[in-house]
Short mmCIF file of all heavy atoms in Angstrom, two decimals:
data_model
loop_
_atom_site.label_atom_id
_atom_site.label_comp_id
_atom_site.label_asym_id
_atom_site.label_seq_id
_atom_site.Cartn_x
_atom_site.Cartn_y
_atom_site.Cartn_z
N TRP J 211 -7.77 -5.75 -11.09
CA TRP J 211 -9.09 -5.74 -11.75
C TRP J 211 -10.11 -4.94 -10.99
O TRP J 211 -11.21 -4.70 -11.53
CB TRP J 211 -9.56 -7.17 -11.97
CG TRP J 211 -8.75 -7.93 -12.97
CD1 TRP J 211 -7.80 -8.85 -12.66
CD2 TRP J 211 -8.90 -7.95 -14.38
NE1 TRP J 211 -7.28 -9.39 -13.80
CE2 TRP J 211 -7.92 -8.87 -14.91
CE3 TRP J 211 -9.71 -7.28 -15.29
CZ2 TRP J 211 -7.78 -9.09 -16.22
CZ3 TRP J 211 -9.54 -7.56 -16.64
CH2 TRP J 211 -8.60 -8.45 -17.13
N ASP J 212 -9.88 -4.58 -9.78
CA ASP J 212 -10.83 -3.83 -8.96
C ASP J 212 -10.43 -2.43 -8.72
O ASP J 212 -9.24 -2.07 -8.69
CB ASP J 212 -11.07 -4.55 -7.61
CG ASP J 212 -9.81 -4.54 -6.76
OD1 ASP J 212 -8.83 -5.15 -7.18
OD2 ASP J 212 -9.82 -3.86 -5.69
N ASN J 213 -11.36 -1.51 -8.55
CA ASN J 213 -11.12 -0.10 -8.39
C ASN J 213 -10.26 0.18 -7.19
O ASN J 213 -9.37 1.08 -7.24
CB ASN J 213 -12.43 0.67 -8.22
CG ASN J 213 -12.97 1.15 -9.57
OD1 ASN J 213 -12.33 1.62 -10.37
ND2 ASN J 213 -14.30 0.91 -9.77
N GLU J 214 -10.43 -0.51 -6.08
CA GLU J 214 -9.72 -0.25 -4.84
C GLU J 214 -8.24 -0.47 -5.04
O GLU J 214 -7.38 0.41 -4.66
CB GLU J 214 -10.25 -1.07 -3.68
CG GLU J 214 -11.66 -0.73 -3.26
CD GLU J 214 -11.81 0.68 -2.73
OE1 GLU J 214 -10.83 1.23 -2.25
OE2 GLU J 214 -12.93 1.23 -2.83
N SER J 215 -7.82 -1.62 -5.63
CA SER J 215 -6.37 -1.82 -5.80
C SER J 215 -5.80 -0.89 -6.90
O SER J 215 -4.67 -0.45 -6.81
CB SER J 215 -6.10 -3.27 -6.20
OG SER J 215 -6.76 -3.64 -7.42
N ILE J 216 -6.64 -0.54 -7.89
CA ILE J 216 -6.19 0.40 -8.92
C ILE J 216 -5.98 1.77 -8.30
O ILE J 216 -4.96 2.47 -8.60
CB ILE J 216 -7.19 0.48 -10.08
CG1 ILE J 216 -7.23 -0.88 -10.84
CG2 ILE J 216 -6.91 1.65 -11.01
CD1 ILE J 216 -8.25 -0.90 -11.89
N LEU J 217 -6.84 2.26 -7.43
CA LEU J 217 -6.70 3.54 -6.74
C LEU J 217 -5.41 3.49 -5.94
O LEU J 217 -4.63 4.48 -5.88
CB LEU J 217 -7.90 3.81 -5.90
CG LEU J 217 -9.12 4.40 -6.60
CD1 LEU J 217 -10.29 4.44 -5.62
CD2 LEU J 217 -8.85 5.82 -7.10
N LEU J 218 -5.18 2.42 -5.20
CA LEU J 218 -4.03 2.30 -4.39
C LEU J 218 -2.74 2.40 -5.22
O LEU J 218 -1.76 3.03 -4.95
CB LEU J 218 -3.97 1.01 -3.60
CG LEU J 218 -2.84 0.70 -2.68
CD1 LEU J 218 -2.77 1.78 -1.58
CD2 LEU J 218 -3.00 -0.68 -1.99
N ALA J 219 -2.79 1.69 -6.38
CA ALA J 219 -1.62 1.62 -7.28
C ALA J 219 -1.26 3.04 -7.83
O ALA J 219 -0.12 3.33 -8.14
CB ALA J 219 -1.87 0.65 -8.44
N GLN J 220 -2.28 3.86 -7.98
CA GLN J 220 -1.98 5.25 -8.52
C GLN J 220 -1.15 6.07 -7.61
O GLN J 220 -0.55 7.05 -8.01
CB GLN J 220 -3.31 5.90 -8.80
CG GLN J 220 -4.30 5.27 -9.79
CD GLN J 220 -3.56 4.73 -11.05
OE1 GLN J 220 -2.98 5.52 -11.79
NE2 GLN J 220 -3.70 3.46 -11.28
N SER J 221 -1.02 5.64 -6.31
CA SER J 221 -0.30 6.41 -5.34
C SER J 221 1.18 5.93 -5.32
O SER J 221 2.03 6.56 -4.63
CB SER J 221 -0.91 6.28 -3.92
OG SER J 221 -0.75 4.94 -3.48
N TRP J 222 1.52 4.86 -6.02
CA TRP J 222 2.84 4.33 -6.02
C TRP J 222 3.78 5.09 -6.95
O TRP J 222 3.44 5.44 -8.01
CB TRP J 222 2.90 2.86 -6.42
CG TRP J 222 2.09 2.05 -5.48
CD1 TRP J 222 1.71 2.24 -4.23
CD2 TRP J 222 1.45 0.70 -5.77
NE1 TRP J 222 0.97 1.26 -3.62
CE2 TRP J 222 0.81 0.29 -4.61
CE3 TRP J 222 1.48 -0.10 -6.92
CZ2 TRP J 222 0.15 -0.94 -4.58
CZ3 TRP J 222 0.78 -1.33 -6.89
CH2 TRP J 222 0.14 -1.71 -5.72
N MET J 223 5.00 5.35 -6.49
CA MET J 223 6.05 6.01 -7.23
C MET J 223 6.94 5.04 -7.94
O MET J 223 7.63 4.22 -7.28
CB MET J 223 6.85 6.97 -6.34
CG MET J 223 6.02 8.00 -5.64
SD MET J 223 5.23 9.17 -6.81
CE MET J 223 4.42 10.25 -5.64
N PRO J 224 6.94 5.00 -9.26
CA PRO J 224 7.79 4.07 -9.94
C PRO J 224 9.30 4.21 -9.56
O PRO J 224 9.80 5.28 -9.42
CB PRO J 224 7.65 4.48 -11.49
CG PRO J 224 6.26 5.06 -11.50
CD PRO J 224 6.10 5.80 -10.20
N ARG J 225 9.89 3.04 -9.29
CA ARG J 225 11.33 2.90 -8.94
C ARG J 225 11.61 3.54 -7.53
O ARG J 225 12.78 3.79 -7.17
CB ARG J 225 12.24 3.53 -9.96
CG ARG J 225 12.18 2.78 -11.31
CD ARG J 225 13.29 3.12 -12.25
NE ARG J 225 13.19 2.37 -13.46
CZ ARG J 225 13.69 1.14 -13.66
NH1 ARG J 225 14.32 0.59 -12.62
NH2 ARG J 225 13.59 0.55 -14.81
N GLU J 226 10.52 3.81 -6.76
CA GLU J 226 10.71 4.27 -5.41
C GLU J 226 9.90 3.48 -4.45
O GLU J 226 10.36 3.13 -3.40
CB GLU J 226 10.27 5.76 -5.27
CG GLU J 226 11.19 6.68 -6.01
CD GLU J 226 10.85 8.18 -5.79
OE1 GLU J 226 10.07 8.46 -4.83
OE2 GLU J 226 11.29 9.05 -6.54
N THR J 227 8.66 3.12 -4.82
CA THR J 227 7.78 2.40 -3.96
C THR J 227 8.03 0.87 -3.93
O THR J 227 8.33 0.30 -4.94
CB THR J 227 6.30 2.59 -4.37
OG1 THR J 227 5.99 3.94 -4.29
CG2 THR J 227 5.36 1.77 -3.43
N VAL J 228 8.06 0.28 -2.72
CA VAL J 228 8.17 -1.14 -2.51
C VAL J 228 6.85 -1.65 -1.94
O VAL J 228 6.21 -0.97 -1.16
CB VAL J 228 9.34 -1.43 -1.49
CG1 VAL J 228 9.48 -2.99 -1.24
CG2 VAL J 228 10.70 -0.85 -1.99
N ILE J 229 6.43 -2.85 -2.41
CA ILE J 229 5.20 -3.38 -1.92
C ILE J 229 5.38 -4.83 -1.51
O ILE J 229 6.11 -5.58 -2.08
CB ILE J 229 4.03 -3.33 -3.02
CG1 ILE J 229 4.41 -4.01 -4.27
CG2 ILE J 229 3.68 -1.84 -3.22
CD1 ILE J 229 3.32 -4.03 -5.30
#
Side-chain angles (χ1 to χ4, degrees):
W211 292 97
D212 64 294
N213 270 316
E214 293 297 334
S215 62
I216 291 174
L217 280 171
L218 181 62
Q220 303 313 302
S221 68
W222 299 338
M223 300 298 180
R225 297 194 178 275
E226 292 184 16
T227 299
V228 179
I229 57 175

